[in-house]
């Protein structure tokens, strides 16, 4: 195996989940493998470039990778959550989904000034959630120039959407045809 094929082999595919015709890329099998999980964190941290003050991780599986990468980089962690889960003052963003809409929130005091923030999630598909998180972080004053993912589904265009926003996108593995 070469590159990150060892990690790709640890990610199982569940056909027809959550709906018919979808091939769900399940990273929980990667998390169950201690060596694979450790390698994924090390490799994500190695992809991080430049001066980073904070990692912003998107709920829920992004928390797993974001927290570990933040520790590896020696920086703090911003939680980007679904609505109603953060106490105290918060900022939010609404965004469109293929069918309907959703929201994200973070504490309104999470970003202090013009900090360099690395955005992390487990998977990038259409990019809707990542673009919404990016907008909210930038609105708070963060300088976000890079986003990292364990899995990229390039045929769905999410990485391209982020790149159009000036974001350097990195991922460990790609699955075509999704």
């Amino acid at each position: 195996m070469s590159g990150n094929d060892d990690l790709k082999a640890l990610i199982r595919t569940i056909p027809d989940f959550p709906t018919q015709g979808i091939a769900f890329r399940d990273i929980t099998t990667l998390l169950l493998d201690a060596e694979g999980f450790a390698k994924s964190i090390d490799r994500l941290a190695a992809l991080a470039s430049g001066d980073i003050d904070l990692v912003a991780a998107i709920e829920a599986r992004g928390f797993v990778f974001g927290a570990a990468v933040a520790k590896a980089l020696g920086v703090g962690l911003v939680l980007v959550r679904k609505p109603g889960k953060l106490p105290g003052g918060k900022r939010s963003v609404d965004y469109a989904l293929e069918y309907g809409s959703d929201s994200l929130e973070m504490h309104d005091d999470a970003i202090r000034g013009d900090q360099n923030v690395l955005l992390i999630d487990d998977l990038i598909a259409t990019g809707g959630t990542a673009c919404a998180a990016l907008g909210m972080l930038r609105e708070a004053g963060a300088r976000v120039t890079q986003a990292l993912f364990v899995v990229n589904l390039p045929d769905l265009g999410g990485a391209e959407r982020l790149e159009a926003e000036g974001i350097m996108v990195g991922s460990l593995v790609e699955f075509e045809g999704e």
Side-chain angles (χ1 to χ4, degrees):
M1 289 188 195
S2 63
N4 291 317
D5 286 347
D6 57 336
L7 300 181
K8 189 172 186 174
L10 294 171
I11 299 169
R12 82 175 148 192
T13 299
I14 300 175
D16 300 320
F17 182 83
T19 61
Q20 186 72 29
I22 301 294
F24 185 82
R25 304 307 179 170
D26 181 19
I27 55 91
T28 62
T29 48
L30 171 64
L31 297 173
L32 285 168
D33 186 283
E35 183 179 353
F37 179 47
K39 285 179 181 179
S40 69
I41 298 307
D42 292 344
R43 293 175 190 175
L44 282 170
L47 287 177
S49 63
D51 183 31
I52 297 168
D53 299 309
L54 295 168
V55 167
I58 300 172
E59 186 171 343
R61 292 175 303 268
F63 288 178
V64 175
F65 295 98
V69 170
K71 181 185 183 310
L73 297 176
V75 300
L77 179 69
V78 176
L79 300 180
V80 177
R81 302 220 53 190
K82 295 182 175 142
K85 297 186 177 186
L86 291 173
K90 54 196 162 286
R91 66 175 56 241
S92 65
V93 62
D94 297 322
Y95 63 102
L97 298 170
E98 187 175 353
Y99 300 103
S101 63
D102 208 346
S103 299
L104 294 172
E105 296 180 341
M106 69 179 199
H107 281 123
D108 58 8
D109 60 355
I111 306 297
R112 294 182 304 278
D114 59 351
Q115 292 173 297
N116 296 310
V117 177
L118 168 64
L119 183 62
I120 292 186
D121 203 357
D122 68 316
L123 183 139
I124 179 86
T126 65
T129 302
C131 286
L134 171 64
M136 184 171 58
L137 289 161
R138 286 182 168 169
E139 182 181 284
R143 282 192 309 264
V144 185
T145 60
Q146 186 176 18
L148 299 176
F149 305 90
V150 177
V151 176
N152 179 19
L153 305 178
D155 293 343
L156 296 181
E160 290 175 352
R161 283 182 69 187
L162 285 173
E163 288 165 352
E165 294 289 333
I167 300 298
M168 182 174 63
V169 177
S171 65
L172 298 180
V173 301
E174 291 187 351
F175 288 93
E176 301 289 336
E178 302 310 310

